[in-house]
Amino acid sequence: MTQGSSSHYQVLRIAVTATEKEIKVAYRKAARLSHPDQGGDAAAFRRVTLAYETLMDPKRRSAYDRAYAMGTSEDDDGAHFDAPAAGSHAASTVRRPNTPRNTAGDPAVFIPPFESANQEGYVPLIPFELARQQVHGMPRKRGIFGAEARIQREMRTVQLITRQILPAIPAARLINGLQSPADNSHIDHAVLSGYRLAIIGSMLLPKGAYAWNGNTLNHGGRSIAPPQLAHVVRRMQDIFPELNVTGWTVIHSPDGNLHEPVIDHHRRSRSSLDMVQVVNAAGLARGLKQFLSSGPAPNTVNVPVLARLLRGMH
């Protein structure tokens, strides 16, 4: 384990959900092994000490976890997070000739497998019980004004994904309430399945016909600004180069009709089409299921990515 190749959690060999007591126990063990007086390496001992000091301070750990989720580091020693290289896990799931292809409806497979925990010194990034959950977090009250309306529309999206997407794709993981890595805003929802990630924003608008041209949403001659997701999608794509990241804005109707309002898609640039889509609830259920199911190894739970996303929850 060389400097700059591992996170503080990996240096201490603990999960990202480790408690204060677990951090202390891990530090004492790692310090004994790496201390120069015990024949250890001075540089390794400094990394162990830095990891302990950072994770034991609630404020420093919180800042570090945000950096962990974003794949960056704020430490002076230049250590960075070891995001898997593009295709590194995918290579292990390449289909051999005459073997059935994995489909989205197959039981979830964890990469790396939790069976590796039997190896000496191995600690999974997150506990198995956490990784097997399909829903993480709930919409939270942010600020005072408009919180009730925001929670209402976000809860509709949670219910839609929970009922329409998750049962059909066992490996899909819904994470609610992420802090945006692009600015100080928040991401309503993220859905991870295999090597595909969907960033989702929610709106609640009156019934009627709306037109989306790739930049603005128009209704009755009036322009309505949907959630600005393009810059968030680009940032998440930079953070997770091994994934295919897209953005979705789902518009709910007041009466809960999944097919309302009607969204007309006018001709627009391909880049806008690929990056963010504006749809009603029925369109999200249909489009998101197709997007996640058509990716490579859609029955895979990418544990390192999931762990980083969970550390980015506000």
Side-chain angles (χ1 to χ4, degrees):
M1 186 180 296
T2 60
Q3 185 171 358
S5 67
S6 301
S7 71
H8 289 334
Y9 294 100
Q10 290 168 309
V11 167
L12 295 181
R13 295 186 179 276
I14 55 176
V16 295
T17 55
T19 63
E20 181 178 314
K21 181 179 180 180
E22 291 170 335
I23 294 172
K24 289 181 178 179
V25 172
Y27 168 70
R28 286 195 291 266
K29 180 178 179 181
R32 284 196 302 269
L33 294 174
S34 60
H35 199 286
D37 291 345
Q38 302 296 325
D41 177 69
F45 181 71
R46 285 196 297 271
R47 292 195 295 273
V48 168
T49 302
L50 175 62
Y52 174 73
E53 291 175 347
T54 300
L55 299 183
M56 283 300 293
D57 185 309
K59 290 185 178 180
R60 290 180 63 183
R61 184 179 184 181
S62 179
Y64 184 83
D65 285 343
R66 286 196 296 272
Y68 183 86
M70 291 187 286
T72 59
S73 175
E74 299 175 351
D75 297 323
D76 294 333
D77 69 346
H80 62 82
F81 304 108
D82 54 345
S88 62
H89 292 319
S92 65
T93 60
V94 172
R95 184 165 58 100
R96 294 186 176 87
N98 302 321
T99 59
R101 178 181 178 182
N102 294 328
T103 66
D106 290 338
V109 175
F110 297 89
I111 302 295
F114 279 85
E115 288 77 5
S116 301
N118 294 329
Q119 301 174 7
E120 184 178 356
Y122 176 83
V123 177
L125 285 171
I126 53 177
F128 176 70
E129 290 302 316
L130 188 62
R132 68 194 296 265
Q133 294 178 19
Q134 282 198 282
V135 181
H136 299 270
M138 294 295 288
R140 299 185 184 185
K141 185 175 181 179
R142 298 192 293 268
I144 300 175
F145 301 103
E148 184 176 349
R150 180 189 59 75
I151 292 174
Q152 180 184 2
R153 63 177 181 262
E154 290 187 19
M155 282 303 302
R156 289 195 182 196
T157 303
V158 170
Q159 293 170 359
L160 177 69
I161 295 173
T162 301
R163 295 170 181 173
Q164 302 270 357
I165 305 297
L166 301 187
I169 309 178
R173 298 294 183 265
L174 169 62
I175 303 98
N176 303 296
L178 285 169
Q179 189 139 5
S180 171
D183 48 38
N184 292 324
S185 64
H186 299 83
I187 299 172
D188 294 348
H189 321 278
V191 182
L192 173 69
S193 182
Y195 297 88
R196 295 203 163 181
L197 177 67
I199 305 300
I200 304 168
S202 306
M203 298 182 71
L204 181 63
L205 295 176
K207 298 170 66 173
Y210 295 76
W212 168 247
N213 64 11
N215 296 304
T216 59
L217 187 66
N218 298 289
H219 174 64
R222 186 167 63 96
S223 177
I224 303 169
Q228 300 301 307
L229 293 180
H231 69 297
V232 178
V233 172
R234 283 192 290 266
R235 184 71 182 102
M236 294 295 275
Q237 186 65 80
D238 291 339
I239 294 171
F240 300 107
E242 71 274 27
L243 304 181
N244 181 351
V245 184
T246 61
W248 304 71
T249 295
V250 55
I251 301 178
H252 299 283
S253 67
D255 63 359
N257 186 338
L258 301 185
H259 300 277
E260 292 283 353
V262 175
I263 312 295
D264 294 322
H265 296 85
H266 292 178
R267 186 173 183 178
R268 55 191 176 174
S269 68
R270 179 172 176 80
S271 59
S272 297
L273 177 65
D274 289 342
M275 189 168 296
V276 179
Q277 300 192 46
V278 176
V279 294
N280 56 27
L284 179 71
R286 179 177 58 254
L288 191 57
K289 189 180 297 184
Q290 181 179 9
F291 170 69
L292 298 175
S293 299
S294 59
N299 67 321
T300 295
V301 177
N302 194 321
V303 177
V305 173
L306 178 60
R308 288 168 65 183
L309 290 173
L310 295 180
R311 299 312 293 176
M313 295 172 63
H314 62 81

